[in-house]
Amino acid sequence: MTVRTRFAPSPTGYLHIGGIRTALFSWLFVKHHAGDFILRIEDTDKERSTEEAVQVILDSMQWLELDFNGKPYFQSEHFERYKEVIQQLLSEDKAYYCCCSKEELETMRNDAMTKGEKPKYNRKCRHRTDVPDEKGSQVVRFKNPTTGEVVVDDLIQGSVRYQNAELDDLIIARSDGTPTYNLTVVVDDLDMEISHVIRGDDHLNNTPRQMNIFSALDVAAPRYAHVPMILGPDGKKLSKRHGTVSVLQYREDGYLRDAFLNYLVRLGWSHGDKEIFSEKEMIELFDIKDVNKAASAINPEKLLWLNSEYIKASGITKLAVLLKDQLEKLNIDSSDGPGLEELVIVQRERCKDLVEMVEQSRCFFEDFDSFDEAAAKKHLRPVILEALTNLRECLSILNSWSNEEIYGAVTAAAEEFGLKMGKIAQPLRVAVTGVGVSPPIDDTLRLVGKERTLKRLDLALKYIQLRAST
């Protein structure tokens, strides 16, 4: 049997971290079994589905390289097929028209709750022979079995049992003829020959209903695996207060694809004490049965740590390409400055994400006319004016703008004025970069370039002189 799974997001909002983790688990499961992975866009909700949300899904899958078979499957293109199955169930007396009003349904609900029962439809129209033929006012309900039980042999949750008497006759077609979720999912999984459904555990209660529809169509249901939800750092359900964002925001925030996938796979799955996995290792080691039953909480600090580890270990050329993309997003011209690979070499041990790397790299491409206020107040003081002036002259006559020559000039100035290295290097750093943080001072000056270094030192000296005169 070919293993076939699907990732089936609805394009009614942004694709969040819980959804993309489900996609990753499905993708890894398929890759492990050399099967097929299908992307299905569940866009039957015409009012809420948007092209923008579809594009976010496609862009997210592309960024994370979760490749799928063929083209995306859009439910909105298969309404005729759903109508065909609905008609089949009606003709086989496995579904029926219901014309109960909203008021009647509300009365049924209240009566059940008064009796201490679960609120559900009381099957009033199930055996009626006088249902009026008024298209547009009727819904179609599935004839759920009234006896026996449904056993969901879940690959994560274990065996979960449901009594059919507790399940109502769910609506499979609305009054306007459009199919409902539980019907379309079954038809699509049937037509796609899906062998395993991996999805969030918020769908677990839908599963017995869907299994009964599969049974009514005389076909076996897929195997199911319901993944627990992801919680916020405080252990509560993720919500806007946690700053939940689109998956693509992680890319915008400078996280590497490999680091993000590694972080996702460890949210609810583990293999011993191992923390860092290559893609190959994920595919080889992943087993859906090892996914935890309990929910996992996000840990932003761990994600940042993982990202920094991946930045340190990533290839220089690859990081240079990613850095260029980030610079372009901020309209920073990377052609007017040092080579990006050189910059990556001195920055990758220092930066936890690409956004931080970009911010700490601005000074190598963009000039400035003012200094960070706190850094300047602390380091660009009159007491350093003479030493910095002397150092500026020494730097101006260097024959070779190399790390060795630059470092030699700085250390010579420190010795001449009886200063510790940091007492002159830090004012020099602020003068040349505008801020108080940068790579080692010799690397910084070399990458800034001689002409820019001298120009910025002149600006700093004027700043100090003005400060001394006030």
Side-chain angles (χ1 to χ4, degrees):
M1 178 189 73
T2 299
V3 170
R4 289 171 64 86
T5 71
R6 43 63 164 190
F7 175 50
S10 298
T12 54
Y14 57 71
L15 180 59
H16 56 76
I17 192 170
I20 205 65
R21 184 191 61 167
T22 299
L24 173 62
F25 283 0
S26 296
W27 184 81
L28 290 174
F29 183 78
V30 160
K31 293 294 182 181
H32 183 83
H33 293 282
D36 298 329
F37 180 58
I38 297 169
L39 175 62
R40 185 168 81 211
I41 308 295
E42 298 192 337
D43 59 343
T44 55
D45 188 339
K46 296 178 181 179
E47 291 185 3
R48 297 176 60 217
S49 298
T50 67
E51 289 296 324
E52 181 183 7
V54 171
Q55 195 58 52
V56 167
I57 293 169
L58 298 177
D59 290 346
S60 299
M61 300 293 281
Q62 182 179 32
W63 172 48
L64 296 174
E65 298 175 30
L66 301 181
D67 54 303
F68 46 88
N69 293 69
K71 295 180 179 180
Y73 178 103
F74 289 88
Q75 282 190 332
S76 59
E77 298 174 357
H78 298 271
F79 278 104
E80 289 305 314
R81 171 59 176 151
Y82 304 138
K83 290 179 181 179
E84 176 185 308
V85 173
I86 292 167
Q87 191 56 50
Q88 175 187 338
L89 292 171
L90 284 168
S91 63
E92 294 176 357
D93 196 27
K94 295 174 181 177
Y96 59 94
Y97 288 106
C98 172
C99 59
C100 292
S101 66
K102 290 182 180 180
E103 291 75 19
E104 288 178 291
L105 296 174
E106 186 63 27
T107 299
M108 293 176 199
R109 176 184 176 85
N110 292 335
D111 288 346
M113 293 177 69
T114 300
K115 297 175 183 178
E117 299 173 354
K118 184 183 296 185
K120 62 179 181 178
Y121 180 63
N122 68 5
R123 300 187 170 97
K124 178 180 178 180
C125 291
R126 183 167 173 139
H127 303 293
R128 287 179 63 172
T129 58
D130 61 339
V131 177
D133 185 20
E134 297 177 10
K135 304 303 181 185
S137 64
Q138 306 171 8
V139 298
V140 177
R141 291 184 180 273
F142 172 67
K143 277 191 174 181
N144 195 80
T146 57
T147 60
E149 65 178 7
V150 183
V151 180
V152 182
D153 186 17
D154 195 274
L155 295 172
I156 296 175
Q157 306 295 334
S159 182
V160 186
R161 295 175 178 271
Y162 295 86
Q163 299 302 312
N164 277 318
E166 295 296 315
L167 305 176
D168 62 1
D169 289 358
L170 73 156
I171 296 172
I172 58 174
R174 303 179 184 89
S175 58
D176 64 358
T178 58
T180 59
Y181 168 78
N182 282 299
L183 185 282
T184 59
V185 166
V186 169
V187 175
D188 290 337
D189 288 343
L190 169 61
D191 291 350
M192 293 176 172
E193 299 181 334
I194 299 299
S195 64
H196 295 77
V197 172
I198 300 172
R199 60 187 178 187
D201 62 1
D202 54 326
H203 286 289
L204 183 56
N205 286 336
N206 288 322
T207 302
R209 296 172 170 84
Q210 293 169 14
M211 290 178 68
N212 279 338
I213 296 176
F214 273 109
S215 179
L217 295 173
D218 296 321
V219 291
R223 295 295 307 276
Y224 291 93
H226 288 90
V227 181
M229 70 174 64
I230 296 177
L231 305 176
D234 57 1
K236 297 181 180 179
K237 185 178 179 180
L238 275 178
S239 65
K240 291 182 179 179
R241 72 176 182 275
H242 295 110
T244 53
V245 294
S246 164
V247 168
L248 291 178
Q249 187 61 48
Y250 289 94
R251 182 184 66 180
E252 299 305 308
D253 289 345
Y255 291 97
L256 302 187
R257 173 259 184 187
D258 293 341
F260 188 63
L261 287 184
N262 194 151
Y263 176 71
L264 282 179
V265 81
R266 288 287 287 110
L267 279 175
W269 175 83
S270 62
H271 186 78
D273 296 326
K274 189 174 175 63
E275 288 287 351
I276 297 180
F277 297 84
S278 66
E279 180 182 308
K280 181 180 179 182
E281 288 173 326
M282 288 187 212
I283 292 171
E284 289 178 351
L285 299 174
F286 184 80
D287 190 330
I288 196 67
K289 295 179 181 178
D290 293 334
V291 173
N292 296 335
K293 291 183 180 181
S296 300
I298 59 174
N299 184 337
E301 290 77 19
K302 184 173 183 179
L303 173 56
L304 200 58
W305 170 78
L306 266 175
N307 203 58
S308 67
E309 293 298 305
Y310 272 87
I311 286 177
K312 293 173 187 175
S314 293
I316 294 169
T317 301
K318 176 182 177 181
L319 284 177
V321 172
L322 294 173
L323 179 59
K324 188 175 189 297
D325 290 341
Q326 291 284 342
L327 289 166
E328 288 177 350
K329 288 175 184 176
L330 295 177
N331 296 316
I332 298 174
D333 183 4
S334 60
S335 65
D336 186 20
L340 294 182
E341 292 193 2
E342 288 184 281
L343 198 51
V344 164
I345 291 171
V346 301
Q347 293 280 39
R348 65 176 179 168
E349 293 289 331
R350 307 169 48 81
C351 300
K352 293 183 173 63
D353 60 59
L354 293 174
V355 169
E356 182 182 10
M357 190 179 291
V358 167
E359 289 303 319
Q360 293 194 17
S361 299
R362 278 182 178 272
C363 64
F364 300 110
F365 304 104
E366 294 184 337
D367 288 323
F368 52 85
D369 54 16
S370 63
F371 304 97
D372 176 79
E373 185 176 348
K377 183 177 180 180
K378 183 177 181 180
H379 298 290
L380 297 184
R381 299 182 298 155
V383 69
I384 200 65
L385 180 59
E386 184 179 3
L388 212 55
T389 301
N390 176 274
L391 177 56
R392 193 264 184 218
E393 295 307 312
C394 292
L395 290 170
S396 70
I397 60 176
L398 290 182
N399 293 320
S400 171
W401 196 252
S402 64
N403 281 52
E404 294 78 10
E405 293 287 328
I406 293 169
Y407 189 80
V410 177
T411 54
E415 291 173 3
E416 180 175 346
F417 289 90
L419 299 170
K420 292 182 178 179
M421 185 65 172
K423 291 296 184 180
I424 193 167
Q426 194 59 19
L428 177 59
R429 173 175 285 108
V430 176
V432 172
T433 68
V435 295
V437 178
S438 79
I441 196 64
D442 49 346
D443 283 324
T444 298
L445 266 63
R446 175 176 59 84
L447 293 172
V448 167
K450 186 174 182 178
E451 183 180 346
R452 268 184 167 153
T453 293
L454 298 177
K455 178 182 176 182
R456 293 175 182 181
L457 269 170
D458 288 339
L459 180 66
L461 292 172
K462 287 180 181 179
Y463 173 90
I464 297 172
Q465 289 168 352
L466 181 62
R467 185 175 178 182
S469 66
T470 57

